Amino acid sequence: MNRFAKLPEARLRSLARQVERIVATTPIFDIHTHLYSPAFRKLLLWGIDDLLVYHYLVAEAFRLQDLPCEQFWQMPKTAQADWIWRQLFLEHSPLSEACRGVLTTLNRLGLDVRRRDLPALRRWFAGQTIEAHVDRCLAAAGVKRVCMTNSPFDDLERPVWEADGPRDDRFEAALRIDPLLVAWPEAARRLARWGYRVSRALSARTVEGVRRFLADWTRRIDARYLMVSLPPEFAFPGPSVCAQLIEKAVLPHCREQCLPFALMLGVKRAVNPRLVLAGDGVGRSDLQAVQNLCAGFPQNRFLVTVLSLENQHELCVLARKFRNLHIFGCWWFTNVPYAIEEITRLRLELLGLSFTPQHSDARVLDQLVYKWTHFRQILTPVLVEKYAGLAATGWRPEAAEIRRDVQHLLGGAFEQFCEKGSVPNIDTSEGPMAWLKNSGGRNAWLQRRAAPSFHPDY
Ligand code: FIX
Ligand code: ZN
């Protein structure tokens, strides 16, 4: 375990116990999920069938059988779950991370997985109320609060916000704006229908309309941050509608409201559309875009995660350069023990504690249990090794210091980063884009890349 430090065995064992206890008992703020509070009713997924039809498992099950995709999607949810259970749990051992996750969850909820009895599992879930189950899952996962993913463009979700029902403090809001940035013509039509003065061309009036839309929804849902997921080709600055809207509407809005903007980079949507939600893929992003955002907009704060393993090191190095960049999570295809351990080590070794190592991305309430149980199992030995390395130098890590550090990693660093005014302006005399404008000589890329329609003076 202790690869770099030679500590007496007994000392190492006691340090390991201490770290394990602290990691196991520190409450987590899960900064990105797809969960909802019970007030959103059917939007909050939970229970054994939703666990089994999780799109991670759908993708794995389709590899094993030649059932036509279309036929699968026409089946009712229980039949889909039956089929996946048979393919992935009965006819093969459930070794993948997502399969093991179902079993960890059931086990931690006190259910017997040895019997492989799906009807019995269903009966147990049918006997639970959603309110009690939220309490149970949060407690079993050691999670105190989660961020939801909230889209005004979702026809099921929007009316719930418009009805302005009671809020559950354990579920914070994050304003998701993918349709605005990646499907502008359709988004423009919808904004216009909702009464915002926008048209397809990005005129000053349209930008103003988009900003009003962002302001209204930020206020309505009390958003903690704005967020988008973008494909590997995302470039900034640039002539694309996406880059233009980010520059002219999203970033000014975030500055005005003192909110971070979260970018999730590297997703290739619908690589295989027949798999629906399970059909998305990954590509390596050009992180020059992140550098340009962080350098060009020192008064904005950016939360960034990248889907490609190949981007992780470069992102860490960027975070060393820009304090308005907070990196987070082992997202989706990197949320497997092999990658989490490597990425977490890399981040700790390059950044110390100033990052958020994980978010769950849970889509089903019960998944909180396995995603965080598994993550804690990885974080513990990594931290033990790091503290053992300190102890070997004669530095004695105190329990209170370890607790402070773990709290920081499990949500505290994110909260600090989000605090208004937490990122001092690099130079307040320079407005947004000043760096980009002034660096033309040294940064020939700007001339090379920016299309003629790019107006840094906007
Ligand atoms: O874009 C996202 O927020 C992704 O996390 C999801 O779209 C994805 O489907 C997912 O569930 C990954 O874990
Ligand atoms: Zn997500």
Side-chain angles (χ1 to χ4, degrees):
M1 175 193 284
N2 187 14
R3 288 198 286 159
F4 304 115
K6 288 275 165 284
L7 274 192
E9 252 330 288
R11 181 76 207 291
L12 186 58
R13 268 204 308 276
S14 113
L15 181 63
R17 273 198 306 274
Q18 189 176 42
V19 172
E20 187 176 2
R21 202 168 40 245
I22 291 173
V23 171
T25 55
T26 300
I28 289 166
F29 181 11
D30 188 345
I31 70 167
H32 171 57
T33 75
H34 296 264
L35 302 177
Y36 295 88
S37 69
F40 289 80
R41 294 171 177 275
K42 283 195 171 351
L43 286 173
L44 171 56
L45 305 179
W46 64 289
I48 185 64
D49 288 325
D50 281 314
L51 281 170
L52 289 172
V53 301
Y54 187 32
H55 66 81
Y56 289 30
L57 297 188
V58 170
E60 290 167 31
F62 269 118
R63 297 189 51 71
L64 301 171
Q65 253 266 2
D66 51 14
L67 176 76
C69 298
E70 293 67 26
Q71 197 176 318
F72 174 83
W73 294 117
Q74 276 160 18
M75 284 154 45
K77 196 200 297 183
T78 45
Q80 292 176 345
D82 285 341
W83 183 74
I84 290 177
W85 176 253
R86 196 166 58 251
Q87 301 309 319
L88 295 181
F89 291 80
L90 302 183
E91 294 188 0
H92 304 83
S93 291
L95 291 181
S96 77
E97 176 63 4
C99 285
R100 182 173 69 108
V102 174
L103 301 181
T104 300
T105 298
L106 297 174
N107 177 264
R108 294 290 301 260
L109 292 176
L111 296 160
D112 183 1
V113 295
R114 274 173 314 180
R115 290 171 48 213
R116 294 156 164 75
D117 186 348
L118 185 52
L121 295 170
R122 285 193 173 121
R123 280 195 298 280
W124 184 84
F125 280 100
Q128 312 309 314
T129 65
I130 183 57
E131 288 74 17
H133 199 55
V134 167
D135 296 344
R136 182 183 299 115
C137 288
L138 290 175
V143 169
K144 58 179 177 185
R145 250 172 311 138
V146 306
C147 274
M148 305 179 279
T149 295
N150 304 106
S151 174
F153 295 94
D154 183 325
D155 292 335
L156 296 178
E157 179 172 350
R158 199 175 51 259
V160 183
W161 289 112
E162 284 165 347
D164 198 19
R167 294 287 299 260
D168 182 330
D169 290 345
R170 296 169 300 178
F171 293 80
E172 295 204 9
L175 181 57
R176 183 79 179 228
I177 55 172
D178 292 32
L180 190 72
L181 298 183
V182 301
W184 168 246
E186 172 56 17
R189 272 194 294 277
R190 298 189 80 183
L191 260 63
R193 230 180 295 138
W194 296 332
Y196 296 96
R197 285 164 31 106
V198 302
S199 54
R200 196 171 163 154
L202 293 189
S203 62
R205 195 183 77 164
T206 293
V207 169
E208 187 47 44
V210 172
R211 286 196 59 179
R212 268 198 42 231
F213 165 77
L214 295 175
D216 288 349
W217 276 94
T218 297
R219 189 175 350 94
R220 175 170 286 140
I221 72 175
D222 191 16
R224 185 87 195 214
Y225 57 87
L226 273 75
M227 71 186 309
V228 66
S229 70
L230 293 169
E233 304 75 43
F234 170 62
F236 186 94
S240 70
V241 173
C242 174
Q244 294 283 309
L245 278 171
I246 289 176
E247 183 197 329
K248 294 173 180 173
V250 177
L251 297 182
H253 169 75
C254 288
R255 283 196 298 277
E256 186 185 276
Q257 305 272 334
C258 286
L259 292 176
F261 181 37
L263 295 130
M264 305 176 81
L265 302 177
V267 57
K268 285 188 183 174
R269 295 287 179 198
V271 166
N272 182 353
R274 294 176 70 210
L275 292 182
V276 190
L277 211 51
D280 297 338
V282 57
R284 185 180 176 155
S285 297
D286 182 352
L287 296 191
Q288 186 68 49
V290 176
Q291 180 183 323
N292 295 342
L293 283 163
C294 294
F297 297 87
Q299 291 146 315
N300 279 94
R301 280 165 294 162
F302 300 95
L303 295 157
V304 175
T305 194
V306 279
L307 198 48
S308 160
L309 207 48
E310 290 76 12
N311 276 141
Q312 304 295 335
H313 182 257
E314 195 181 344
L315 182 63
C316 279
V317 175
L318 271 178
R320 291 175 64 87
K321 309 299 146 196
F322 297 104
R323 60 187 161 188
N324 59 341
L325 170 59
H326 186 86
I327 68 181
F328 72 98
C330 296
W331 181 26
W332 202 346
F333 310 117
T334 61
N335 191 353
V336 288
Y338 158 80
I340 298 170
E341 183 180 340
E342 181 174 302
I343 295 168
T344 304
R345 270 178 196 289
L346 182 66
R347 290 170 173 176
L348 274 170
E349 289 167 15
L350 276 171
L351 297 171
L353 293 158
S354 61
F355 69 100
T356 299
Q358 190 57 310
H359 66 270
S360 76
D361 234 309
R363 279 183 176 266
V364 181
L365 173 65
D366 317 65
Q367 289 169 344
L368 288 174
V369 179
Y370 94 77
K371 302 238 188 192
W372 287 112
T373 303
H374 290 186
F375 178 67
R376 283 181 159 113
Q377 286 166 359
I378 299 163
L379 181 63
T380 300
V382 172
L383 285 180
V384 170
E385 181 191 299
K386 295 297 162 211
Y387 286 114
L390 294 186
T393 71
W395 180 278
R396 223 188 155 86
E398 303 290 340
E401 292 169 338
I402 299 176
R403 198 167 298 115
R404 173 203 62 197
D405 296 347
V406 173
Q407 276 165 0
H408 202 68
L409 289 173
L410 298 182
F414 167 79
E415 300 215 63
Q416 220 172 66
F417 184 77
C418 290
E419 266 166 32
K420 292 190 167 83
S422 69
V423 178
N425 295 330
I426 289 168
D427 182 347
T428 43
S429 65
E430 299 193 17
M433 299 300 277
W435 177 86
L436 291 178
K437 280 188 283 180
N438 298 338
S439 61
R442 276 191 303 123
N443 298 279
W445 63 267
L446 187 57
Q447 279 92 40
R448 271 191 280 115
R449 285 173 179 241
S453 64
F454 170 61
H455 299 298
D457 281 321
Y458 176 82

